[in-house]
Amino acid sequence: MKDLAFRSASQLAAAVAAKEVSSVELLDLYLDRVEHVDPQVNSIVAKDEERARAAARDADRKVARGEPLGRLHGVPVTVKDSIEVAGMRTTGGSERWGNHTSTVDAEAVARLRQAGAIIFGKSNLPADARDWQTYNEIYGTTNNPWDLTRGPGGSSGGSAAALAAGLTGLELGGDTAGSIRVPAHFCGVYGLRPSYGIVPRHGSVSGHRPGSLAEFDMAVLGPLGRHADDLDLGLDVLAGPDRDDMPAWRLDLPPARAHNLHEFRVAAWLDDPFCPVDSELVAAMETTLAAVRSEGAVVVERGGPVGLEETMALYRPLLMAQSGLIEPDPAYRRLVGLAAEDAAGFAAELTVRFRDWHALDERRQLSRRRWAEFFCDIDVLICPVSPTVAFPHDHRPDPAWSVRTLRINGEDRPYREMLTWVSPASLNHLPAAVAPIGVTRAGLPVGIQVIAPYLHDRTAVRFVQSLAEVIGGFRRPPGL
């Protein structure tokens, strides 16, 4: 049963359908592991056992009656605590929403249920989903299952940690500034940032009050799993027009551009002077690149069509403008006053005028065109997720990211550089998958980021599936 907890979501669904295990037994397995394993990790911070058991019993009855089954039938899953689940608290890691109980499911959660998933809990995140570490005043700190002295990443840190520890079958997270990709990299699991706009975000409290229908620039919801196939399954279940567009719109994502590694045209951007990457990560990516070449893929070592410095000069102000939406009204009014006194300061970035935002957005559209041209001759770009592996907990208050640092190649680098390698996909609305490729000498996971053209999510997913066939995939953390 211990091995069963680490199977892929599709394998779990197949086991339920074949009556190898019941949905109730699977749920009991994960609940037992949450009780006995999670106290040291603190990834699953809220449970809904009664409703989950009722849903699992119903799932088993449908199997017994031979009814049609969904892609996730009977699989226990959890979702990030910034995403609304009916009948459960949805805190977003913030005391602002700490007493909010959701009355309806987020649209993405509803799609998981429609596919037969059994939603039994919520996973932890940083306050307002605004950090690459996972801790808050409501639920405390989440630790990395590979090294409890280190964080699992953020903001979907609880999601990735729960998967790595074998506490759930699949996870639903969110990503604006690497919030799916960084935790997947830090915890040695798979994650997919879908193309912007193809998975409805309604029901996410990251950046909005509960129940809001407003969109959020560059923000997406997407799947995390222990196996590459989970990304394909998650994409099938989650992607599609939102309820308002359903009368007229359909989503028909193109098939993967290639099926096997030797068919892919690959660009590799493994390091950059603007944001140096730790040498151990570069070495792991070079080993992976050698395996890709040995399979016959065409590989060119080149940067993206828009450099990191130019990308960050556009991405940072757009991200800060978006972050201003999260500020409570009294705090925002103070920021407006500060911005009037210092037009070039931090407050001005958070309170940007619409005219200035529109000018930034026009520059973004030009950047997107350059990326589209780049992908005429390239199928995927592989690059780092971040400049470092999981780092030790550092909870010093630092709203401007000016105090904390990252240790890269023996030197202290600015904490804000966690933004850099995730910025091209976020800024340009591109899909990006993360796959585990090994561990460092200290035994910490290393992930690689695979970026594909806009709406070619299946190309990114197929690449990491093919890669897993050659180099292997998820490894269980020691002791779990």
Side-chain angles (χ1 to χ4, degrees):
M1 289 291 280
K2 187 175 180 180
D3 290 335
L4 188 65
F6 289 91
R7 290 189 191 178
S8 72
S10 57
Q11 289 170 337
L12 293 173
V16 171
K19 302 181 183 179
E20 174 189 343
V21 64
S22 71
S23 180
V24 169
E25 288 171 328
L26 264 186
L27 178 62
D28 286 341
L29 171 64
Y30 281 125
L31 288 172
D32 182 70
R33 289 186 61 80
V34 169
E35 181 180 354
H36 292 97
V37 175
D38 200 39
Q40 62 181 331
V41 178
N42 191 36
S43 59
I44 305 298
V45 291
K47 293 178 289 185
D48 189 10
E49 294 187 38
E50 184 177 344
R51 271 183 284 257
R53 287 189 188 282
R57 289 193 294 268
D58 185 57
D60 290 334
R61 285 192 289 268
K62 290 180 178 178
V63 172
R65 292 194 294 261
E67 296 182 15
L69 307 179
R71 297 284 301 278
L72 285 168
H73 188 84
V75 178
V77 307
T78 45
V79 303
K80 185 178 181 179
D81 190 33
S82 58
I83 303 169
E84 299 218 60
V85 174
M88 296 192 71
R89 290 174 70 197
T90 302
T91 73
S94 170
E95 291 187 333
R96 281 191 292 165
W97 315 127
N99 295 319
H100 170 70
T101 297
S102 301
T103 57
V104 296
D105 287 333
E107 198 156 335
V109 170
R111 292 180 183 188
L112 292 174
R113 290 198 200 274
Q114 289 164 7
I118 310 299
I119 297 168
F120 73 93
K122 293 289 199 76
S123 51
N124 207 17
L125 74 162
D128 289 320
R130 297 174 79 177
D131 205 339
W132 299 287
Q133 301 178 72
T134 295
Y135 66 99
N136 59 66
E137 294 183 355
I138 300 173
Y139 292 124
T141 299
T142 298
N143 301 315
N144 193 312
W146 291 81
D147 181 345
L148 300 178
T149 69
R150 298 170 185 263
S155 61
S156 305
S159 304
L163 286 162
L167 307 177
T168 185
L170 189 74
E171 256 284 351
L172 175 62
D175 188 307
T176 304
S179 289
I180 287 173
R181 291 166 286 166
V182 170
H185 161 49
F186 280 9
C187 293
V189 300
Y190 289 87
L192 174 67
R193 174 194 164 86
S195 294
Y196 178 75
I198 70 169
V199 176
R201 282 192 72 257
H202 300 325
S204 173
V205 304
S206 295
H208 297 298
R209 69 183 183 278
S212 172
L213 297 179
E215 284 296 338
F216 205 41
D217 188 29
M218 299 183 287
V220 303
L221 298 181
L224 297 96
R226 277 181 295 270
H227 299 263
D229 291 347
D230 291 338
L231 302 186
D232 191 44
L233 172 57
L235 184 65
D236 284 346
V237 170
L238 296 170
D242 66 28
R243 66 188 67 181
D244 294 331
D245 293 334
M246 280 182 180
W249 298 111
R250 299 292 180 271
L251 180 68
D252 186 15
L253 294 174
R257 289 184 171 188
H259 186 72
N260 299 306
L261 278 184
H262 72 269
E263 300 170 332
F264 279 93
R265 300 168 298 173
V266 181
W269 189 8
L270 306 186
D271 205 351
D272 196 286
F274 182 73
C275 183
V277 178
D278 191 85
S279 59
E280 273 204 87
L281 273 73
V282 174
M285 290 186 292
E286 287 175 341
T287 299
T288 299
L289 195 61
V292 172
R293 281 196 171 104
S294 70
E295 291 295 309
V298 175
V299 179
V300 294
E301 296 191 41
R302 58 180 292 191
V306 184
L308 292 178
E309 184 172 8
E310 183 180 351
T311 297
M312 283 300 297
L314 182 55
Y315 176 62
R316 177 183 162 84
L318 282 169
L319 183 66
M320 292 301 101
Q322 180 231 63
S323 296
L325 295 173
I326 299 175
E327 296 293 333
D329 291 344
Y332 191 81
R333 285 193 292 269
R334 287 193 296 270
L335 288 168
V336 171
L338 291 171
E341 298 171 6
D342 182 6
F346 184 68
E349 291 183 318
L350 292 170
T351 58
V352 64
R353 296 177 301 176
F354 179 73
R355 184 175 187 272
D356 295 331
W357 186 93
H358 196 276
L360 291 168
D361 186 53
E362 184 172 359
R363 289 168 53 196
R364 184 210 339 238
Q365 302 310 323
L366 293 173
S367 173
R368 293 185 65 197
R369 289 192 177 186
R370 290 164 67 182
W371 276 94
E373 292 170 1
F374 171 83
F375 281 121
C376 289
D377 302 315
I378 295 293
D379 296 319
V380 294
L381 170 70
I382 61 176
C383 63
V385 180
S386 80
T388 182
V389 292
F391 48 82
H393 296 297
D394 182 359
H395 297 169
R396 288 175 290 175
D398 189 13
W401 298 334
S402 59
V403 176
R404 300 175 187 168
T405 57
L406 303 169
R407 194 73 174 167
I408 309 295
N409 295 324
E411 298 182 2
D412 287 335
R413 302 283 301 185
Y415 187 72
R416 63 178 177 273
E417 289 191 356
M418 286 294 297
L419 274 175
T420 306
W421 287 99
V422 298
S423 63
S426 292
L427 174 68
N428 295 287
H429 297 176
L430 303 172
V434 171
I437 59 172
V439 296
T440 66
R441 290 188 297 271
L444 296 171
V446 177
I448 197 165
Q449 182 175 196
V450 179
I451 303 175
Y454 178 58
L455 297 179
H456 284 266
D457 300 58
R458 298 195 189 281
T459 296
V461 170
R462 182 56 205 155
F463 184 88
V464 299
Q465 288 176 310
S466 301
L467 187 62
E469 293 166 4
V470 174
I471 69 169
F474 170 77
R475 305 182 190 184
R476 189 183 305 182
L480 294 176

